Amino acid sequence: MQAAVVGAGITGITTAYYLAKAGYEVTIYDERKYPAMATSYANGGQLSASNAEVWNSWRSVYKGIKWLTKKDAPLKVNPWPSPDKYSWFFRFIKEIPNADINTQRTCEMALEAHNLYKQIAEEEGIQFDKVEKGILHIYTDETEYENAKRVNEVYARAGLKRWEVSAEECLKIEPALVPPPTLLGGMYNDTDFTGDIHKFCVELLKVLQKKYNVNMVIRKIKNLGVELRDHVGPIVVCAGVESKALAKTVDDNLPIYPVKGYSITIHKPEVAPWTSLLDDGAKIVTSRLGEDRLRIAGTAEFNGYNTDIIQARIKPLITWAETMFPGINTENITPWAGLRPMMPNMMPVVKKSNNNDRVYYNTGHGHLGWTLSAYTASNIVERIRGNNT
């Protein structure tokens, strides 16, 4: 049986992997020559069940309003009218009552994905600069700190153990950290890990091509019903922010909005953390990628399909690094910006098309594509096999 995967990011590559393992003859379609060149290129690097809390809260809404005029705000909204954007915000607010159950489910998926990534890496010999030192969340705001304690109970129901640590314990966990005097403490778990998403995708595609005879076609698919009309077998849409337009070609509606994020990769940082960090106030994360690279990522920007790298959004990442790690070398930095495919309820879309029996979706993972994709890829393939056997 043939199968097509549209999109060669982390979601598409892992979907192709599980399809190939299930015996399908897989073709991947992507407009770029290499895999993971869009949203999966330079993300924050965290595989983080402990960052599974969905954003649906009145706290997020109030912060977005407060930061409207602040150019370097962690959450930035372009107020220019847009039907898609304001419709998305309306649905986002409607999902606030479901935040805890969605957080729990996301955490459960992330924990499953952790195991699957490790299985893939071991079975296929994938090296991707994996660092297993957990993730330390740090807090300087009392309200957010108290909320984190409450969310720990949600995580516990999902099976994740994350515990409170004092400001002094934060420094023991990560000795390179020089936190602000306002540091209240942190939350830590030792099961989350980090790695280079782009490297993982590149190496896994090599395995797919050599071991499983997967074919990658450099081609931008614009219309599922026309361009893949003669394809025999399931078609899985894993096209990130492009998934919404593709879904429309088969009369499906996916309310995905492109939420822009930024990162910098610091080469040869000299002084830098090995434990992955998440500064809740600044909304900034760090990941050590081997000996010579530190990835720092953050911010969320609602500004349409725009990937321009704006200095006012990059500068806070550099300033934060130099403040938290005074000895860090920031001479050689690579900036990046990408679009996260985000649903209003912050949950991935893993389902069959409502209008076409051959089309399936594995998309809409937002800022947790790296964290969740192994699980959702395995899950969508299970659904496909159940439909075809």
Side-chain angles (χ1 to χ4, degrees), residues 204-363:
L204 186 54
L205 179 60
K206 291 177 184 177
V207 171
L208 288 172
Q209 292 172 321
K210 293 178 182 178
K211 181 176 178 180
Y212 296 98
N213 298 314
V214 169
N215 184 32
M216 181 165 168
V217 176
I218 304 171
R219 177 180 167 191
K220 182 177 177 65
I221 301 296
K222 296 181 179 180
N223 191 314
L224 299 172
V226 173
E227 294 168 275
L228 298 180
R229 176 180 52 210
D230 298 327
H231 171 79
V232 177
I235 301 165
V236 189
V237 177
C238 306
V241 295
E242 303 294 333
S243 300
K244 180 176 181 176
L246 286 171
K248 286 183 179 179
T249 66
V250 289
D251 297 322
D252 286 328
N253 178 36
L254 299 183
I256 289 173
Y257 192 82
V259 179
K260 189 176 181 181
Y262 291 84
S263 78
I264 56 173
T265 302
I266 304 176
H267 304 273
K268 297 183 179 180
E270 296 179 7
V271 175
W274 279 96
T275 303
S276 183
L277 303 173
L278 193 156
D279 183 334
D280 191 81
K283 305 301 181 189
I284 289 175
V285 305
T286 72
S287 295
R288 190 68 174 258
L289 303 176
E291 293 285 344
D292 296 329
R293 292 183 298 153
L294 177 69
R295 178 73 46 75
I296 299 181
T299 77
E301 186 175 309
F302 289 79
N303 194 23
Y305 293 82
N306 179 305
T307 57
D308 294 344
I309 296 176
I310 300 170
Q311 185 60 25
R313 308 296 284 158
I314 291 294
K315 189 174 184 296
L317 301 179
I318 300 172
T319 300
W320 183 90
E322 293 174 338
T323 301
M324 293 293 187
F325 313 103
I328 197 168
N329 172 25
T330 55
E331 182 179 3
N332 188 352
I333 290 176
T334 303
W336 173 85
L339 301 177
R340 310 174 181 110
M342 200 161 281
M343 292 286 289
N345 64 355
M346 313 296 288
M347 303 293 287
V349 181
V350 187
K351 69 173 188 176
K352 184 178 179 180
S353 164
N354 294 329
N355 299 298
N356 189 308
D357 286 340
R358 295 187 303 139
V359 174
Y360 294 79
Y361 299 104
N362 182 19
T363 187

Side-chain angles (χ1 to χ4, degrees), residues 141-209:
D141 180 271
E142 187 66 43
T143 301
E144 294 299 330
Y145 198 25
E146 290 303 314
N147 179 69
K149 297 175 185 178
R150 184 192 65 79
V151 173
N152 275 1
E153 299 174 5
V154 180
Y155 287 158
R157 293 197 292 269
L160 174 69
K161 184 181 179 182
R162 186 180 78 157
W163 58 93
E164 183 178 358
V165 292
S166 67
E168 292 75 18
E169 288 173 312
C170 288
L171 305 187
K172 292 180 181 178
I173 293 169
E174 182 42 68
L177 178 65
V178 180
T182 53
L183 179 66
L184 300 172
M187 298 293 172
Y188 180 63
N189 87 92
D190 57 7
T191 55
D192 283 344
F193 56 101
T194 59
D196 188 331
I197 184 173
H198 178 70
K199 191 172 184 179
F200 181 92
C201 290
V202 169
E203 294 303 312
L204 186 54
L205 179 60
K206 291 177 184 177
V207 171
L208 288 172
Q209 292 172 321

Side-chain angles (χ1 to χ4, degrees), residues 52-70:
E53 183 184 5
V54 299
W55 298 356
N56 306 82
S57 71
W58 287 110
R59 299 188 331 279
S60 297
V61 174
Y62 297 147
K63 286 178 181 179
I65 295 171
K66 181 178 70 174
W67 289 334
L68 275 174
T69 59
K70 189 178 180 183

